[in-house]
Amino acid sequence: MHYTSTRGNACINSSQEAILKGLAEDGGLFVPEHFTYFSINDLKAMSEGSYIDVANRVLCRILDDYREETIKKCTSNAYSEGFENNEPAPLVKLNDNTSVLELWHGPTCAFKDMALQLLPELMTSAIKDTGANKTVLILVATSGDTGKAALEGFKDVEGTKIMVFFPEFGVSDMQKLQMITQEGANVHSVAISGNFDDAQTGVKNIFTDAKLIEELDRGGYVFSSANSINWGRLVPQIVYYFSSYAALLKKGVISCGERINFTVPTGNFGNILAAYYAAKMGLPVNKLICASNRNNVLTDFFHKGVYDRNRVFYKTHSPSMDILISSNLERLVYDLADKDCTTVATLMKRLKETGQYEIPKELLEKCSDLFAANYIDDEQTEKVISKYFHEYGYLSDTHTAVALGVLDRYREESLDSTHTVVVSTASPYKFGKAVAKALIEDHDPDQYTEYELLKLLEAKTSVKIPKPISDVIHKPILHKVTCSKDDMSNTLRKLLL
Ligand SMILES: *Cc1c(COP(=O)(O)O)cnc(C)c1O
């Protein structure tokens, strides 16, 4: 498969290269030149297999320069152990026209595991095949979920090392604990005194520091990135849209070819873009409902065609969606513009310089049949958590609650009763404080430690705390390195060279 950059000035010949490179040299994102198509018979066949079978069918067709045997080995390594009950993406029925696709049964209890368990496998086999004889050094700046999922994904993966920088006081207690107790011989997590932007800027500086790159090259290292614009993180996410359709078919909830909706809690636009690509590849989709929190920049985009990041940034109960620049939206705009990379490059330049852009009316019309979008705030999120717990006995995390609340609004306005799959992105225990606030009225959450709160929540709901979260409390602290935001490259030298 050939790939081009959304901004037009880069072209490569294989998925392996796209996965190793991450970002194109011109600042654009890699997109495949054409998309494969899955027929009704393919969908039927998928309904007879396991998650790994579906993954093999989908990945072999998209990543066609990987050998079938290699893909099978990668998916087996990624999705067998480490996922609760060997079921990476169980579908839970809420009522006749609503199901929840739970993507958080992996080692870090958030949906980032779905991609970050597979990406290291795809990367290391690409390194072997392309003959690169170096240790791949993965650098990550994180505000929480990605760091832990990347550490867990690359842990003890041969030929790689990973270093995660997180803001010392900018992540939740649980997220910090998960990162500083990380096991593995090839992992480092470093707390920096600064915020997430400082961490991200520091990592970008390292990536472009010619002197450091040369020193590392001599030390046998080459950089790569595991962030969400990497094609190798997007492709694994296409799989579970097919697997959820297959599960509904198998249960007889829908008939083959019947269209369904997906509601996706959205931040960087990676997850919902994977749904869009699945639809392009033949998955019968009626609506993709893009759910946001109060940082509703995407809601405005789909309603008005204007992307405008010049607005107040809110810290919300759903921090993984507190984003004002949704990087992967660039790939949708490219598609809507019929691969007109000049238009994309112009719009992205405008975004960089002025913080906003507007797409032509025709482009907005092209996606308005498929996409719906809306948002809810923190107060409504708490009400949704309470409502779904009391009406359906379903305990959702704050991000999933945003999706459920937006689905409620969409149904009130549209009267659409199409079967809808709500994509659930985290265990409720990962964001326990806000969930406890919604359900335990007579307690002030600030009085308790995070672990005490989780125990209270468990007692109240009878939903068990997942093992990776209860385990982490008792693990020894293995990473104590801290550094100032200006000292990140020296810290890297000390730890690796
Ligand atoms: C990353 C994340 C999201 C947002 O996903 P995108 O692909 O960035 O849109 C939503 N919920 C949780 C829990 C996440 O970790």
Side-chain angles (χ1 to χ4, degrees):
M1 185 81 75
H2 292 271
Y3 291 79
T4 50
S5 160
T6 47
R7 300 186 195 175
N9 291 318
C11 175
I12 51 173
N13 296 327
S14 75
S15 330
Q16 295 186 329
E17 225 180 315
I19 289 170
L20 287 178
K21 276 211 162 100
L23 192 69
E25 287 91 345
D26 62 356
L29 313 185
F30 286 121
V31 280
E33 273 181 353
H34 49 259
F35 286 86
T36 181
Y37 195 83
F38 293 94
S39 67
I40 296 281
N41 280 337
D42 289 327
L43 297 174
K44 276 192 191 136
M46 285 181 201
S47 72
E48 282 147 27
S50 65
Y51 188 82
I52 289 181
D53 290 327
V54 177
N56 290 338
R57 280 172 194 277
V58 173
L59 295 171
C60 283
R61 293 265 287 270
I62 302 176
L63 306 175
D64 60 359
D65 48 287
Y66 280 82
R67 285 187 299 272
E68 191 178 332
E69 287 319 301
T70 308
I71 295 280
K72 285 184 171 164
K73 195 167 137 254
C74 290
T75 54
S76 158
N77 289 345
Y79 297 123
S80 303
E81 292 157 33
F83 284 85
E84 215 177 326
N85 305 324
N86 284 339
E87 255 195 282
L91 196 65
V92 177
K93 181 181 172 183
L94 281 193
N95 61 27
D96 282 347
N97 58 4
T98 317
S99 314
V100 181
L101 177 64
E102 294 184 343
L103 301 177
W104 41 266
H105 294 280
T108 79
C109 303
F111 101 102
K112 304 276 192 297
D113 288 332
M114 300 303 294
L116 281 165
Q117 284 294 302
L118 186 64
L119 178 70
E121 302 287 338
L122 295 173
M123 248 183 201
T124 46
S125 90
I127 295 162
K128 278 184 202 140
D129 279 12
T130 53
N133 189 19
K134 301 240 173 214
T135 300
V136 176
L137 175 61
I138 306 289
L139 289 186
V140 181
T142 184
S143 58
D145 284 347
T146 301
K148 175 61 184 177
L151 285 166
E152 209 37 62
F154 282 93
K155 170 182 79 181
D156 293 328
V157 172
E158 204 185 316
T160 71
K161 286 200 178 181
I162 174 163
M163 187 172 291
V164 169
F165 292 94
F166 66 91
E168 190 167 10
F169 301 108
V171 298
S172 79
D173 294 348
M174 179 55 70
Q175 287 171 326
K176 182 173 175 181
L177 200 57
Q178 281 188 317
M179 288 188 275
I180 61 180
T181 57
Q182 177 66 45
E183 291 152 2
N186 63 338
V187 305
H188 295 280
S189 70
V190 178
I192 71 151
S193 51
N195 59 26
F196 170 64
D197 285 328
D198 296 325
Q200 179 141 4
T201 307
V203 165
K204 277 192 189 148
N205 290 342
I206 293 176
F207 271 120
T208 51
D209 181 339
K211 188 162 165 281
L212 181 58
I213 291 173
E214 204 213 295
E215 287 171 44
L216 284 164
D217 182 55
R218 272 187 273 124
Y221 291 104
V222 54
F223 284 132
S224 192
S225 124
N227 69 21
S228 81
I229 49 184
N230 191 314
W231 182 243
R233 269 192 64 180
L234 215 42
V235 177
Q237 301 186 147
I238 296 172
V239 173
Y240 49 73
Y241 290 99
F242 282 96
S243 84
S244 62
Y245 192 89
L248 288 171
L249 262 185
K250 188 172 185 181
K251 291 182 192 173
V253 176
I254 54 169
S255 54
C256 202
E258 188 177 332
R259 288 171 189 275
I260 62 171
N261 298 341
F262 290 96
T263 306
V264 187
T266 300
N268 213 15
F269 208 74
N271 202 355
I272 196 167
L273 182 72
Y276 174 78
Y277 283 158
K280 261 180 94 78
M281 294 175 190
L283 188 70
V285 174
N286 176 53
K287 282 276 179 203
L288 296 176
I289 303 163
C290 175
S292 300
N293 63 27
R294 206 172 165 204
N295 296 298
N296 57 358
V297 62
L298 287 166
T299 309
D300 288 348
F301 174 79
F302 283 110
H303 291 182
K304 301 177 209 152
V306 177
Y307 194 91
D308 186 357
R309 63 160 302 194
N310 302 309
R311 59 178 71 211
V312 179
F313 174 82
Y314 298 104
K315 282 189 93 157
T316 73
H317 283 344
S318 40
S320 300
M321 292 151 68
D322 291 344
I323 282 179
L324 291 181
I325 297 194
S326 299
S327 313
N328 268 306
L329 188 64
E330 181 169 344
R331 285 186 165 115
L332 177 70
V333 173
Y334 175 82
D335 215 62
L336 295 174
D338 282 330
K339 305 183 178 184
D340 176 359
C341 45
T342 317
T343 298
V344 176
T346 309
L347 294 176
M348 293 307 136
K349 187 156 173 269
R350 209 168 285 157
L351 177 66
K352 193 164 181 203
E353 286 166 1
T354 69
Q356 70 142 41
Y357 64 85
E358 179 167 5
I359 58 169
K361 229 189 166 65
E362 316 84 77
L363 300 199
L364 184 63
E365 277 164 11
K366 271 169 88 173
C367 68
S368 58
D369 275 348
L370 182 60
F371 282 95
N374 224 323
Y375 75 100
I376 63 170
D377 65 18
D378 277 353
E379 202 183 319
Q380 289 164 312
T381 304
E382 286 177 29
K383 285 195 181 128
V384 170
I385 291 173
S386 170
K387 172 187 154 180
Y388 276 82
F389 182 70
H390 291 112
E391 274 181 31
Y392 300 102
Y394 190 78
L395 184 63
S396 82
D397 97 292
T398 47
H399 303 75
T400 309
V402 168
L404 288 165
V406 165
L407 175 61
D408 285 344
R409 284 184 77 166
Y410 168 77
R411 281 184 171 150
E412 270 164 35
E413 285 163 18
S414 67
L415 304 178
D416 177 6
S417 61
T418 304
H419 192 94
T420 301
V421 171
V422 176
V423 177
S424 174
T425 49
S427 155
Y429 288 101
K430 219 164 165 180
F431 300 94
K433 199 170 214 169
V435 176
K437 194 155 173 252
L439 290 180
I440 307 175
E441 295 87 4
D442 49 346
H443 289 72
D444 171 13
D446 290 328
Q447 264 179 273
Y448 300 93
T449 66
E450 182 134 353
Y451 191 61
E452 286 167 348
L453 262 184
L454 301 191
K455 288 307 254 184
L456 271 181
L457 200 55
E458 186 177 50
K460 164 94 186 177
T461 62
S462 306
V463 175
K464 260 184 78 87
I465 301 176
K467 197 167 177 315
I469 288 182
S470 55
D471 278 358
V472 87
I473 306 287
H474 311 290
K475 283 196 172 160
I477 291 170
L478 301 174
H479 304 273
K480 294 178 183 162
V481 179
T482 60
C483 76
S484 80
K485 64 178 186 191
D486 301 317
D487 210 32
M488 288 166 59
S489 43
N490 278 330
T491 305
L492 185 146
R493 278 191 183 92
K494 265 183 239 155
L495 290 172
L496 295 178
L497 292 174

